[in-house]
């Protein structure tokens, strides 16, 4: 709930922002209690765990997304799902994430474990729809151009020796 703690006090500063926190985990009950205690149920939506087949429907509700944390070796699969749908992401600067997000171009990076920097960016973007749309479109273009299965296959095939080459 550290990210939630970092952003809840500041939601009043950005009245147009509604947070959608999809997923579950050990902290979800505490987050639910905190949101309820603060009377923020209309500003923070907590659907919990959703079926995988429903993820595109939830992503389509998002103007942009955030990943408050990851790890040194984490797969950026969630980033691919979001970016492929034209949803730009605020994410920590771990190497696997930074390999996918070009800061300010196809998403936004913040220093890992700096949840206040993440909250700052999330709040600032709420008032900048043009920036969100520009970066979301660039994110989708990047995925279409660089991260399709065809790209993976071409990269693997380029490692094979060419026929007739010595």
């Amino acid at each position: 709930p550290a990210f939630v703690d970092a952003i809840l006090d500041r939601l009043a500063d950005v009245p147009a922002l509604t947070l959608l926190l999809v997923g579950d985990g050990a902290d979800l009950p505490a987050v639910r209690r905190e949101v309820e205690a603060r009377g923020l149920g209309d500003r923070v939506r907590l659907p919990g765990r959703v079926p995988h087949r429903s993820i595109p429907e939830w992503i389509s509700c998002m103007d942009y997304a955030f990943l408050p944390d990851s790890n040194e070796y984490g797969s950026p699969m969630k980033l691919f799902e979001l970016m492929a749908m034209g949803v730009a992401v605020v994410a920590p600067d771990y190497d696997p994430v930074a390999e996918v997000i070009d800061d300010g171009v196809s998403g936004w990076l913040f220093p890992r474990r700096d949840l206040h920097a993440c909250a700052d960016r999330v709040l600032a973007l709420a008032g900048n729809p043009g920036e969100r749309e520009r970066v979301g479109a660039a994110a989708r273009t990047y995925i279409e151009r660089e991260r399709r299965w065809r790209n993976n296959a071409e990269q693997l095939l380029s490692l094979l020796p060419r026929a007739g080459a010595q």
Side-chain angles (χ1 to χ4, degrees):
F3 175 77
V4 174
D5 291 339
I7 201 165
L8 285 186
D9 287 335
R10 300 176 59 197
L11 276 181
D13 298 338
V14 187
L17 181 64
T18 298
L19 295 177
L20 172 62
L21 306 177
V22 179
D24 63 359
D27 295 333
L28 184 59
V31 170
R32 284 190 195 282
R33 284 191 300 274
E34 186 66 21
V35 167
E36 186 177 309
R38 292 176 182 237
L40 293 172
D42 62 330
R43 303 286 311 281
V44 181
R45 305 296 180 165
L46 299 162
R49 173 175 231 147
V50 299
H52 188 72
R53 70 183 178 281
S54 299
I55 299 251
E57 294 170 38
W58 288 99
I59 293 173
S60 70
C61 297
M62 300 174 187
D63 294 323
Y64 59 111
F66 58 89
L67 178 65
D69 200 14
S70 186
N71 54 54
E72 295 288 342
Y73 52 86
S75 167
M77 187 56 71
K78 294 293 180 214
L79 297 177
F80 294 155
E81 291 174 345
L82 291 159
M83 294 168 72
M85 289 184 66
V87 176
V89 184
V90 175
D93 64 357
Y94 292 100
D95 289 342
V97 172
E99 183 180 312
V100 175
I101 292 179
D102 184 2
D103 189 34
V105 177
S106 60
W108 304 276
L109 297 173
F110 64 90
R112 67 189 83 169
R113 297 189 184 98
D114 186 346
L115 296 179
H116 290 286
C118 179
D120 289 345
R121 178 66 72 161
V122 168
L123 294 167
L125 287 166
N128 198 338
E131 174 76 353
R132 296 190 318 253
E133 291 168 14
R134 178 187 67 78
V135 173
R140 181 180 173 117
T141 298
Y142 166 76
I143 295 298
E144 290 174 348
R145 188 182 65 238
E146 303 288 333
R147 296 295 180 152
R148 300 187 109 173
W149 284 111
R150 179 183 181 114
N151 302 101
N152 295 342
E154 288 171 355
Q155 287 176 354
L156 289 172
L157 289 173
S158 75
L159 300 174
L160 295 174
R162 296 190 186 267
Q166 298 295 332

